[in-house]
């Protein structure tokens, strides 16, 4: 009897693309949730720059919510892929259902915490009296969708882990398109401004959440929602999930910490203008990085499935093919940014001062961007094969150990000023990327070669 969504047969790249293409499309649409908000808000008459900067101040909080989503989604989904490859669907189902419970409980707790401490948190993140009203107005409504957001994104990882890339894509396409339609209506037609942008996002997240839960409750899923698993937590299993997911969690947390530090430093050495520049630069980064992250995330179910099925030579070939494909994508992305920085800046703002200040910052921030290929592929491999220790270390290394100290130090070196903040990123890409991939070759790659010899003898 044929196994449904079997990644251990046929073309490796075809299997990867069957998951990666829908993942890239889904992540592109997911980006619309916040990116469309910024595009519209940056064009609000008279207050566009302040509104854009205010919403940018909420990014670290949004990243923290994403971090906890990844803790369960990115921790449980690779384990599901490995168990599915080994034919253990009962354990795979139990992982998914227990993770759903944790997503809901954690989402409710985070919403309560951020509501209770919103003002001190936002001012600690770099808010000023001018930008605080916009950040508060956006976040007050955005937080209402915390549970919907975490469940839709977290459970979508399990849809992809089962091999349903197109269904996973539709989870975000439905919400993203709805957000695209509702944004101009709420922001401009109803005159709700920043609050309208947040409300459109919450409604879209709610619809996406309903979609993914309906699929997982249907007979089309390989393993779906189960009342017994929802009510009975398997804590030893959840410990494995959290241990593996901690790498993705830490990556999002360190991104948040780095963003807080960047905003704080920029608010001192450059003022609100450069906090706005960083908001636009991060928006460009999120958009241009999607093909690379989508491709590596899409390859995780394929790598994990083959490893679980003990197809070690195929696992190794998959890592190699993903490396070259990701490198080609990242080089193309880098050239796009170098050649068209003004056009990319203009997507998010029409403020001439912000654009002129942002162009050199954008070029510097992305200098040598293709080195991030090695970070993405190395991390992807560690997570796919359950090597949590390495995944956690390299999540910490690039942002917390390299970027954060450099962000604090470089603005005071050789008169770099605000440009020192943007220079920290390319330095971390070089050091972190090569260290991560080199370690992957010295550990995982070596171990797979040894297992491949055993596979051939068998």
């Amino acid at each position: 009897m044929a196994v449904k969504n079997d990644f251990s047969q046929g073309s490796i790249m075809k299997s990867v693309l069957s998951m990666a293409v829908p993942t890239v499309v889904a992540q592109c649409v997911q980006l619309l949730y916040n990116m469309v908000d910024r595009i519209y808000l940056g064009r609000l008459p008279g207050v566009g720059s302040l509104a854009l900067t205010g919403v940018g101040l909420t990014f670290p909080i949004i990243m923290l919510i994403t971090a906890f989503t990844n803790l369960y989604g990115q921790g449980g989904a690779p384990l599901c892929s490995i168990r599915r490859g080994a034919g253990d669907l009962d354990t795979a189902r139990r992982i998914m259902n227990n993770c759903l419970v944790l997503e809901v409980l954690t989402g409710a707790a985070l919403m309560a915490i951020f509501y209770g401490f919103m003002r001190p948190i936002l001012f600690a993140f770099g808010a000023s009296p001018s930008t605080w009203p916009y950040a508060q107005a956006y976040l007050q409504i955005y937080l209402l969708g915390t549970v919907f957001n975490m469940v839709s994104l977290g459970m979508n990882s399990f849809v992809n882990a089962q091999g349903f890339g197109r269904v996973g894509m539709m989870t975000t396409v439905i919400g993203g398109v709805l957000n695209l339609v509702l944004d101009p209506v709420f922001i401009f037609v109803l005159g709700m401004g920043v609050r309208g942008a947040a409300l459109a996002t919450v409604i879209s997240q709610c619809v996406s959440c309903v979609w993914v839960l309906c699929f997982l409750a249907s007979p089309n899923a390989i393993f779906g929602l189960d009342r017994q698993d929802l009510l009975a937590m398997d804590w030893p299993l959840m410990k494995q999930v959290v241990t593996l997911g901690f790498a993705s969690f830490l990556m999002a947390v360190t991104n948040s910490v780095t963003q807080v530090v960047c905003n704080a430093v920029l608010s001192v050495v450059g003022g609100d203008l450069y906090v706005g520049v960083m908001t636009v630069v991060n928006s460009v980064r999120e958009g241009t990085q999607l093909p690379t992250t989508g491709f590596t995330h899409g390859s995780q179910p394929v790598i994990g499935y083959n490893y679980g099925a003990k197809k070690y030579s195929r696992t190794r070939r998959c890592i190699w093919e993903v490396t070259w494909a990701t490198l080609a994508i990242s080089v193309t992305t880098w050239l796009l940014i170098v050649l068209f920085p003004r056009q990319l800046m203009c997507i998010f703002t029409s403020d001439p001062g912000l654009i002129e200040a942002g162009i050199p910052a954008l070029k510097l921030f992305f200098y040598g961007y293709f080195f991030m290929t090695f970070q993405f592929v190395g991390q992807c491999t560690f997570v796919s094969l359950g090597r949590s220790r390495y995944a956690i270390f390299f999540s910490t290394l690039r942002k917390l150990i390299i970027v954060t100290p450099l962000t604090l130090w470089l603005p005071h070196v050789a008169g770099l000023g605000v440009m020192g903040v943007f220079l920290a990123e390319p330095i971390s890409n070089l050091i972190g990327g090569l260290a991560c991939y080199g370690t992957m070759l010295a550990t995982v790659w070596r171990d797979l070669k040894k297992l491949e010899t055993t596979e051939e003898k068998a």
Side-chain angles (χ1 to χ4, degrees):
M1 181 178 177
V3 177
K4 197 172 185 180
N5 295 335
D6 185 356
F7 295 134
S8 65
Q9 306 295 326
S11 166
I12 291 174
M13 189 51 64
K14 183 177 179 181
S15 293
V16 171
L17 288 175
S18 72
M19 295 301 301
V21 171
T23 300
V24 170
V25 173
Q27 290 193 353
C28 285
V29 176
Q30 175 65 31
L31 186 61
L32 289 175
Y33 279 129
N34 291 322
M35 187 174 285
V36 170
D37 291 348
R38 298 166 215 166
I39 293 172
Y40 284 128
L41 293 175
R43 286 163 172 76
L44 280 173
V47 297
S49 295
L50 284 176
L52 184 65
T53 302
V55 172
L57 291 168
T58 68
F59 288 178
I61 291 177
I62 294 172
M63 289 178 191
L64 285 173
I65 293 171
T66 302
F68 281 95
T69 304
N70 292 345
L71 182 63
Y72 310 124
Q74 298 298 320
L79 291 180
C80 271
S81 295
I82 293 172
R83 299 320 306 161
R84 196 169 76 85
D88 185 2
L89 296 185
D90 288 339
T91 302
R93 186 192 66 246
R94 192 160 62 254
I95 291 171
M96 185 189 74
N97 282 274
N98 280 196
C99 284
L100 173 57
V101 174
L102 294 179
E103 297 277 12
V104 172
L105 295 178
T106 305
L110 289 174
M111 181 173 64
I113 291 169
F114 289 131
Y115 267 124
F117 300 95
M118 186 183 301
R119 184 180 180 86
I121 288 174
L122 286 173
F123 272 94
F125 287 0
S128 69
S130 299
T131 56
W132 152 253
Y134 300 98
Q136 180 196 33
Y138 186 83
L139 200 58
Q140 278 182 332
I141 294 179
Y142 181 89
L143 288 175
L144 294 174
T146 303
V147 173
F148 301 131
N149 184 27
M150 290 186 65
V151 170
S152 63
L153 293 180
M155 289 301 101
N156 210 39
S157 298
F158 293 96
V159 173
N160 290 327
Q162 296 183 43
F164 297 104
R166 292 183 181 179
V167 176
M169 176 184 72
M170 288 304 299
T171 302
T172 49
V173 167
I174 290 171
V177 171
L178 184 58
N179 189 54
L180 182 65
V181 172
L182 293 179
D183 253 338
V185 175
F186 290 160
I187 294 172
F188 298 111
V189 177
L190 298 180
M192 296 178 66
V194 171
R195 292 181 182 276
L199 181 59
T201 299
V202 170
I203 292 173
S204 303
Q205 290 169 343
C206 181
V207 173
S208 293
C209 178
V210 171
W211 165 269
V212 73
L213 291 179
C214 284
F215 174 78
L216 291 174
S218 74
N220 295 322
I222 295 176
F223 47 88
L225 302 180
D226 182 272
R227 180 177 299 178
Q228 183 177 348
D229 288 337
L230 290 171
L231 297 175
M233 297 297 292
D234 188 331
W235 294 113
L237 198 56
M238 288 301 97
K239 182 180 179 181
Q240 296 179 40
V241 168
V242 170
T243 300
L244 182 57
F246 193 69
S248 296
F249 170 83
L250 202 58
M251 186 177 295
V253 168
T254 53
N255 279 337
S256 179
V257 171
T258 302
Q259 190 59 56
V260 170
V261 173
C262 286
N263 285 344
V265 173
L266 287 172
S267 67
V268 173
V269 300
D272 287 342
L273 173 66
Y274 276 94
V275 176
V277 167
M278 181 57 82
T279 298
V280 175
V281 168
N282 274 319
S283 298
V284 173
R285 176 185 59 80
E286 288 178 12
T288 54
Q289 193 172 285
L290 277 180
T292 311
T293 57
F295 195 84
T296 50
H297 285 167
S299 69
Q300 285 183 6
V302 181
I303 296 173
Y305 185 96
N306 281 282
Y307 183 73
K310 299 183 179 181
K311 301 282 186 177
Y312 303 119
S313 60
R314 188 176 174 86
T315 303
R316 202 158 59 91
R317 289 201 309 274
C318 184
I319 296 169
W320 187 245
E321 291 185 21
V322 168
T323 299
W324 283 107
T326 306
L327 183 61
I329 294 170
S330 61
V331 168
T332 303
T333 300
W334 177 59
L335 291 174
L336 176 70
I337 293 167
V338 169
L339 295 174
F340 305 105
R342 181 178 297 274
Q343 290 83 347
L344 290 170
M345 291 288 298
C346 287
I347 293 174
F348 300 96
T349 181
S350 56
D351 185 329
L354 195 62
I355 293 171
E356 293 306 319
I359 289 174
L362 182 66
K363 286 184 176 180
L364 183 59
F365 189 86
F366 280 94
Y367 188 77
Y369 170 75
F370 51 85
F371 282 108
M372 274 299 290
T373 293
F374 304 110
Q375 176 84 26
F376 287 137
V377 177
Q379 279 292 98
C380 164
T381 302
F382 290 136
V383 172
S384 298
L385 305 188
R387 302 292 183 97
S388 59
R389 181 161 53 102
Y390 295 109
I392 290 169
F393 174 76
F394 287 107
S395 292
T396 308
L397 174 68
R398 196 176 75 84
K399 285 291 187 181
L400 208 58
I401 298 176
I402 301 176
V403 174
T404 300
L406 287 178
T407 299
L408 295 169
W409 177 60
L410 287 176
H412 309 288
V413 175
L416 285 172
V418 292
M419 288 299 108
V421 176
F422 298 96
L423 180 60
E425 184 73 10
I427 294 175
S428 75
N429 290 346
L430 172 64
I431 299 174
L434 293 180
C436 183
Y437 198 82
T439 303
M440 187 276 290
L441 291 176
T443 56
V444 171
W445 191 263
R446 180 196 61 196
D447 293 344
L448 287 172
K449 288 186 74 173
K450 292 178 180 178
L451 291 169
E452 187 178 339
T453 302
T454 305
E455 177 189 354
E456 290 172 352
K457 290 179 179 180

